[in-house]
Structures are given as structure tokens and as C-alpha cells.
């Protein structure tokens, strides 16, 4: 059973930084794309950043230049370094991973972690 466990969220003042981590476990052979999504109250879940197993990245326009996604393939872990945080970054952040098993890819989500940015 694959599990994604997020850590590193919390409360920070505007302009501050946080680093989120997400570790995947549970008999994983290989992971394709890993990413972070977020959902603010009353809004739909949106992509924040994704990274392929080759290291290619993609960011939402709203976080470009402030957030950096990275991964450690040996540890099946993805990170999100968030700098210059704004109140509008407040949301529940979810980790996502596309886990490869034979010829199939399965989509897994973490339980979500709260990030709150005060003004």
C-alpha cells in the first residue's frame, strides 16, 4: 500500500519561508511525476509545481520565482521550498505522485498539510 506523508507546514508571516516535504513509501518500484497542489477555502484544487523523474519542472505562474520544487529519487521524496510567502498562498497543500507498477501508473495523494500565511 503506497502512502504519501507530508510534513513542514505551519503558520508563517508574509515574506517568510517554509519547506514542505513528502515521502512516499510502500513497496514502490518507480515514481514518474511528483508534484504539489493546493486548495484554498472555497476554491478548487490547483497545481503549484510538478517535477518529473528526470528533473524537469513546471510551476504555476503565481509561484514562479518564489517556490522551488525538487526531489530525491533515492528517498522517493519531493520537496517544495516556498519563499516570499504571501497571504494568498494560504491553503491546504497536497502531495501527488504517479507510481509506476509494471506497465501501469497509479495516482496517489497525501492527506494534505495546512500552510497559513499571516499578513
Amino acid at each position: 500500500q503506497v502512502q504519501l506523508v507530508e510534513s513542514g507546514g505551519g503558520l508563517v508571516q508574509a515574506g517568510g519561508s517554509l519547506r514542505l516535504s513528502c515521502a512516499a513509501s510502500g513497496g514502490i518500484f518507480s515514481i514518474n511525476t511528483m508534484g504539489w497542489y493546493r486548495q484554498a477555502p472555497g476554491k478548487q484544487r490547483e497545481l503549484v509545481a510538478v517535477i518529473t523523474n528526470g528533473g524537469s519542472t513546471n510551476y504555476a505562474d503565481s509561484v514562479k520565482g518564489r517556490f522551488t520544487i525538487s526531489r530525491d529519487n533515492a528517498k522517493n521524496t519531493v520537496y517544495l521550498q516556498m519563499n516570499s510567502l504571501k497571504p494568498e498562498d494560504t491553503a491546504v497543500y497536497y502531495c501527488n505522485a504517479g507510481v509506476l507498477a509494471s506497465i501501469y501508473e497509479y495516482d496517489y495523494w497525501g492527506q494534505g498539510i495546512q500552510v497559513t500565511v499571516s499578513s
Side-chain angles (χ1 to χ4, degrees), residues 49-81:
V50 292
I51 183 168
T52 68
N53 56 9
S56 297
T57 59
N58 189 36
Y59 295 90
D61 288 342
S62 59
V63 307
K64 283 181 181 176
R66 300 188 298 121
F67 291 10
T68 302
I69 190 170
S70 61
R71 65 190 282 176
D72 184 333
N73 290 331
K75 295 181 179 180
N76 290 326
T77 300
V78 63
Y79 306 95
L80 185 69
Q81 179 65 45

Side-chain angles (χ1 to χ4, degrees), residues 1-64:
Q1 184 75 11
V2 174
Q3 288 187 321
L4 302 180
V5 179
E6 298 122 332
S7 60
L11 173 65
V12 64
Q13 288 188 332
S17 298
L18 283 174
R19 188 188 192 217
L20 303 183
S21 299
C22 172
S25 62
I28 296 170
F29 178 68
S30 179
I31 301 177
N32 190 8
T33 298
M34 302 186 79
W36 292 94
Y37 293 72
R38 67 187 181 186
Q39 188 167 18
K43 295 187 177 181
Q44 290 189 331
R45 189 174 298 188
E46 63 176 2
L47 180 146
V48 175
V50 292
I51 183 168
T52 68
N53 56 9
S56 297
T57 59
N58 189 36
Y59 295 90
D61 288 342
S62 59
V63 307
K64 283 181 181 176

Side-chain angles (χ1 to χ4, degrees), residues 1-4 28 95-100 105-110:
Q1 184 75 11
V2 174
Q3 288 187 321
L4 302 180
I28 296 170
C95 174
N96 173 265
V99 178
L100 301 173
E105 182 170 338
Y106 299 90
D107 205 32
Y108 290 92
W109 292 90

